[in-house]
Amino acid sequence: MRVVILGSTRGMGRALARLMAERGDRLFLLGRDSEVLAKTARDLEVRAGSGLQIGIGICDLEQPQSLGPALAEADATLGGFDCVVVTAGIFASQAELENDPEATRRILEVDFVRTIEFCEEARRRLLTGGGGTLCVFSSVAGERGRKPVILYGAAKAGLSTYLEGLDHKFRRQGLVTVCVKPGFVKTGMTAGHKPPPFAGEPNAVARRVLRAIDRGTPVVYAPGAWRWIMLVIRHLPRTVMRRIGF
Amino acid sequence: MQTSDETLQGWGGTRAAGIEIRSDDLPSITRGAVLTRGLGRSYGDSALPPPGTHQIPGCALADRILSFDSSTGVLRAEAGLSIEEIQRVFLPRNWSFPVLPGTQFVTLGGAVGADIHGKNHHIDGTIGNHINEMLLRLADDSLIRCSRKENDDLFRATLGGMGLTGHILEVEVTLKRIPSPWIWAESERVTGIDAFIEALADAARSWPYTAGWMDALVRGDNLGRGILIRGRWAGASEAPARPPRPKRRLSVPFTFPGWVLNSLSVRAFNNFYFHKHPRRAKRGIAHPESFFHPLDVVRRWNLIYGRRGFTQHQCVLPEKERPGATKRYLEALTAGGLGSFLCVIKDCGSEGEGLLSFPRPGISIAVDLPMRARTQEIVNELNERVLEAGGRIYLAKDALSSAEHFQAMESRLEEFQAVRRRWDPEGRLRSAQSVRLLGDPA
Ligand SMILES: Cc1cc2nc3c(=O)[nH]c(=O)nc-3n(C[C@H](O)[C@H](O)[C@H](O)COP(=O)(O)OP(=O)(O)OC[C@H]3O[C@@H](n4cnc5c(N)ncnc54)[C@H](O)[C@@H]3O)c2cc1C
């Protein structure tokens, strides 16, 4: 499989890229910092041990003009691709954003607008190539409006809805959409936040996501326990939601 | 973001207030920090912050391989890369980590910090022998390389220096070429401590990997009976065709109630374990994981010791100079009457370069002791025996030794402290253990 990954340098994206490299997938890494990308590529090349080089290209969700050319470069290097993974995104809690309009605009733009622009670009290319898989990391935070993550959750809710729409419309034409909804995962992004019960490890999450990509599962909760937690949360009456600190 | 009632623990359950910050960006989280943690597999307080320090960085997420030379086996990686991961990636390519401790859930940083030893210590020495270079963050936040050629005093103090000389960011280590990723293993019963010491010395002459498990509860003639284990990497022609696969792991689901482990149950287990082994030697091809890390099969096995936890007492006794020291140590242990589930014996080779490295020529014994009212007393008693024998204890396992005992055992301490003062004149880098044993300010 030829895979383009936006966000492979850290956390869950890194863990997923390692699994893919080790099983022989051909990768092209997109990200902001060429030095970090090169280090990541080197790590993946040693782990893959196949002697194959891993391509890298600059793509920054805060720089809209970088999105199209980045995918074009990946396309040219790999000779077309079968899968695009997006794990990039930024996180901030409601407390951090509430009195910071600049940061608020940034999180909405990166996690919603730009991510979707990137996905649209990827969708067109995948469909031109006869189909493939678009796997995007959204979040359980998008399932209900929750006090600690109102803005982040809203951006992810929009993203999840977009991905569901894509899946309904294009699956018949060969474009499979996989929407990953991670709960709390112990990565660098959550460093310093106290892990709740059911917090996941990046490797376990990566294994689950890879299975979902291979099978074309449209929605995957990771770690798996969140599927049941969210089943409950989605059905909680608003009055209860309002009262609990969840 | 965090509350002050959070606690960090050593593997044996020693606790300290504080939290661990993990990030894949180790250079940024080590800035201004007093100590870095690995996977927390040291038993006591080596990887716990000193009183008053609330958060310390953990290196486990910084685990990128930076380069690997497949002709020489030279591996360069970030300090958080674990031995488990190294073995998973490189064993199938016929390279192994050169020194394997009893658990594989150890980071490169932790391996260097404790200058770990393995079943091959009599031949290959500690991991320090196989380290070429390190990148450190010093107490003043500057970055510095050290090796045998460059800043060699810092290099030697960092091997076995328990994180007290600087934060290790990158490590370069030479892996060991192996003929196949399998082990040829043999084991046999040994009937007493004198026979054990002899059998270990005997095995050391022709086997690269040796160690023994001992029943530390029987007294009298049977004192020190146990099972001797020896092994070597299997040749390519002996190896099964199928490449090694990691096994399915069990996990202890919760902390056991304290009464589960008492001297009766431990005695029964030890008896069972000894007699389960056939009278004649067992030999055959083994998976390296079960040969080197038998305890890893059960994740979180430390929880069977209950909430109070346990400690390990590991020492090395120079038998050549003062024969009978091992026997006197075991007698003190059985007289204490506290059950030890696990007692591992090993003969060590020559002393390493690290200024505080643990092993030196002699017999190393490691015993697990559940935390009870009398445990402190027993550890004191055991340390007296160690002092008498001219031996020393292993800091990575220690939780209860006194500063007096430790300092009396450690003739190299002044040299180590001098190197620390040189690179960290303000004495910033500290751990709960260095406060307890080296008299660092809290
Ligand atoms: C079941 C079991 C069996 C064991 N068997 C053996 C054995 O056979 N031989 C042996 O030698 N040891 C053995 N050990 C001990 C173990 O190898 C050491 O405690 C090792 O240091 C643990 O590594 P860690 O990554 O968990 O480090 P931690 O326990 O987290 O840290 C250990 C020390 O290293 C320092 N450190 C960690 N990372 C860094 C860094 N990046 N920079 C600077 N300092 C750092 C810490 O400050 C601390 O002082 C065993 C432990 C267990 C639990």
Side-chain angles (χ1 to χ4, degrees):
Chain A
M1 189 160 76
R2 294 160 302 176
V3 189
V4 184
I5 310 185
L6 174 60
S8 62
T9 58
R10 296 184 289 150
M12 291 176 276
R14 179 198 278 190
L16 180 61
R18 283 178 179 169
L19 289 183
M20 289 175 149
E22 277 167 20
R23 71 174 199 181
D25 290 339
R26 287 189 52 208
L27 304 181
F28 193 91
L29 315 181
L30 296 177
R32 279 179 298 191
D33 182 330
S34 60
E35 203 181 307
V36 177
L37 282 170
K39 253 191 187 174
T40 307
R42 190 76 200 108
D43 172 70
L44 295 171
E45 282 164 5
V46 174
R47 286 164 188 268
S50 57
L52 265 186
Q53 273 212 342
I54 289 174
I56 58 173
I58 299 292
C59 178
D60 185 348
L61 288 176
E62 293 187 67
Q63 310 278 323
Q65 67 285 4
S66 72
L67 309 184
L71 277 167
E73 195 188 340
D75 208 338
T77 312
L78 293 174
F81 46 74
D82 316 294
C83 178
V84 175
V85 179
V86 185
T87 71
I90 52 181
F91 176 76
S93 66
Q94 186 61 17
E96 289 162 303
L97 295 175
E98 213 148 82
N99 294 309
D100 191 342
E102 183 51 36
T104 300
R105 192 186 51 79
R106 184 165 166 256
I107 202 166
L108 295 177
E109 238 170 54
V110 171
D111 287 349
F112 183 65
V113 182
R114 303 278 184 258
T115 302
I116 289 178
E117 281 174 7
F118 181 84
C119 290
E120 284 293 283
E121 199 66 42
R123 171 185 69 78
R124 282 188 286 271
R125 285 190 182 268
L126 284 167
L127 283 169
T128 315
T133 305
L134 176 63
C135 170
V136 183
F137 281 55
S138 183
S139 171
V140 294
E143 304 272 280
R144 291 293 299 265
R146 291 180 38 226
K147 286 180 270 192
V149 283
I150 300 173
L151 290 156
Y152 177 77
K156 290 298 192 183
L159 181 61
S160 299
T161 305
Y162 159 77
L163 293 168
E164 184 182 351
L166 279 194
D167 199 52
H168 291 322
K169 171 145 191 210
F170 295 108
R171 194 171 270 256
R172 267 214 216 110
Q173 297 170 42
L175 179 78
V176 173
T177 308
V178 176
C179 174
V180 184
K181 297 184 177 174
F184 192 102
V185 180
K186 294 181 208 158
T187 65
M189 186 168 110
T190 54
H193 296 257
K194 189 181 172 184
F198 309 113
E201 299 285 348
N203 288 334
V205 169
R207 278 194 296 275
R208 227 179 129 74
V209 172
L210 189 56
R211 199 163 358 116
I213 289 175
D214 290 342
R215 293 184 185 164
T217 315
V219 176
V220 50
Y221 290 89
W226 284 92
R227 179 171 167 200
W228 308 108
I229 300 171
M230 292 323 292
L231 186 71
V232 175
I233 297 293
R234 275 201 310 275
H235 290 91
L236 281 183
R238 289 181 75 102
T239 49
V240 176
M241 275 306 277
R242 188 173 301 140
R243 249 176 282 145
I244 60 176
F246 184 75
Chain B
M1 224 156 76
Q2 58 243 184
T3 50
S4 56
D5 59 4
E6 285 162 274
T7 54
L8 286 168
Q9 289 195 18
W11 183 248
T14 309
R15 296 176 180 79
I19 61 160
E20 177 186 338
I21 302 290
R22 281 189 185 177
S23 161
D24 25 42
D25 187 359
L26 189 59
S28 81
I29 54 172
T30 49
R31 219 169 268 132
V34 305
L35 189 75
T36 295
R37 242 170 108 78
L39 280 166
R41 252 35 176 214
S42 40
Y43 282 67
D45 50 4
S46 327
L48 298 182
T53 298
H54 186 59
Q55 73 182 38
I56 58 173
C59 63
L61 287 181
D63 64 347
R64 272 177 303 198
I65 296 170
L66 301 169
S67 66
F68 179 67
D69 183 332
S70 55
S71 58
T72 59
V74 172
L75 170 73
R76 197 177 172 89
E78 292 177 312
L81 185 64
S82 70
I83 294 179
E84 179 201 22
E85 194 67 358
I86 292 175
Q87 296 301 80
R88 198 180 59 74
V89 172
F90 293 104
L91 272 184
R93 300 179 211 175
N94 287 6
W95 290 100
S96 170
F97 198 64
V99 170
L100 297 163
T103 176
Q104 57 188 329
F105 303 115
V106 163
T107 61
L108 279 176
V112 170
D115 197 11
I116 58 168
H117 60 276
K119 291 184 169 70
N120 56 342
H121 186 263
H122 57 288
I123 295 193
D124 294 317
T126 60
I127 191 60
N129 288 1
H130 311 270
I131 304 290
N132 311 325
E133 201 205 68
M134 290 174 266
L135 177 66
L136 298 188
R137 178 184 292 290
L138 295 178
D140 68 0
D141 281 348
S142 60
L143 298 183
I144 194 163
R145 281 172 203 289
C146 65
S147 65
R148 287 178 186 81
K149 293 208 185 88
E150 202 180 348
N151 305 313
D152 68 308
D153 64 332
L154 184 61
F155 182 76
R156 294 196 308 133
T158 302
L159 299 179
M162 307 312 293
L164 300 173
T165 54
H167 308 279
I168 304 165
L169 304 182
E170 294 175 11
V171 176
E172 192 182 284
V173 54
T174 305
L175 301 188
K176 188 185 187 74
R177 215 336 147 221
I178 50 172
S180 85
W182 292 89
I183 291 288
W184 175 269
E186 302 191 357
S187 59
E188 66 184 325
R189 283 195 201 175
V190 189
T191 44
I193 186 61
D194 297 325
F196 221 130
I197 292 176
E198 211 169 293
L200 276 170
D202 219 40
R205 278 188 274 278
S206 35
W207 295 84
Y209 299 101
T210 65
W213 168 86
M214 229 165 24
D215 183 341
L217 285 177
V218 282
R219 301 189 200 187
D221 288 348
N222 278 333
L223 175 74
R225 74 170 181 193
I227 293 164
L228 174 80
I229 298 149
R230 48 187 186 237
R232 57 169 170 79
W233 292 101
S237 58
E238 295 167 299
R242 192 171 47 86
R245 281 253 184 95
K247 283 184 300 188
R248 224 189 118 73
R249 295 205 177 97
L250 306 164
S251 176
V252 173
F254 54 83
T255 308
F256 278 33
W259 49 263
V260 171
L261 275 193
N262 55 46
S263 62
L264 262 186
S265 62
V266 176
R267 203 180 295 270
F269 173 84
N270 283 359
N271 229 325
F272 165 77
Y273 195 81
F274 181 78
H275 289 290
K276 184 185 73 135
H277 194 283
R279 257 172 225 286
R280 290 181 39 224
K282 260 204 306 200
R283 35 179 67 96
I285 294 289
H287 192 288
E289 221 172 85
S290 48
F291 180 76
F292 291 111
H293 322 290
L295 290 168
D296 285 353
V297 175
V298 183
R299 295 252 183 174
R300 311 206 295 162
W301 58 263
N302 52 341
L303 298 187
I304 63 169
Y305 280 92
R307 232 196 88 78
R308 276 181 290 176
F310 67 117
T311 183
Q312 188 167 93
H313 193 265
Q314 181 171 7
C315 64
V316 59
L317 305 162
E319 268 292 335
K320 279 239 166 60
E321 294 153 37
R322 291 184 221 179
T326 311
K327 195 172 198 158
R328 287 192 293 278
Y329 178 93
L330 287 178
E331 278 162 358
L333 181 73
T334 50
L338 203 65
S340 174
F341 211 34
L342 190 81
C343 175
V344 175
I345 178 167
K346 155 98 198 109
D347 67 329
C348 293
S350 46
E351 188 168 279
E353 298 161 79
L355 288 181
L356 282 194
S357 289
F358 161 69
R360 52 166 291 174
I363 297 290
S364 156
I365 306 186
V367 293
D368 281 352
L369 302 170
M371 287 291 190
R372 298 288 185 268
R374 270 171 312 137
T375 311
Q376 178 71 58
E377 227 174 286
I378 293 170
V379 168
N380 294 349
E381 179 62 26
L382 294 176
N383 279 338
E384 292 289 343
R385 295 286 97 72
V386 175
L387 262 173
E388 220 171 80
R392 64 167 80 115
I393 55 159
Y394 188 17
L395 290 177
K397 307 284 178 74
D398 184 51
L400 295 178
S401 292
S402 67
E404 292 71 30
H405 275 147
F406 175 70
Q407 294 178 10
M409 285 170 200
E410 197 41 86
S411 56
R412 304 161 300 176
L413 191 57
E414 196 31 58
E415 193 183 353
F416 176 73
Q417 293 288 45
V419 180
R420 266 181 93 196
R421 279 193 296 274
R422 176 164 169 224
W423 295 95
D424 178 14
E426 288 169 38
R428 286 222 178 121
L429 303 175
R430 276 138 49 241
S431 64
Q433 188 171 53
S434 81
V435 169
R436 176 170 60 89
L437 291 180
L438 306 183
D440 286 353

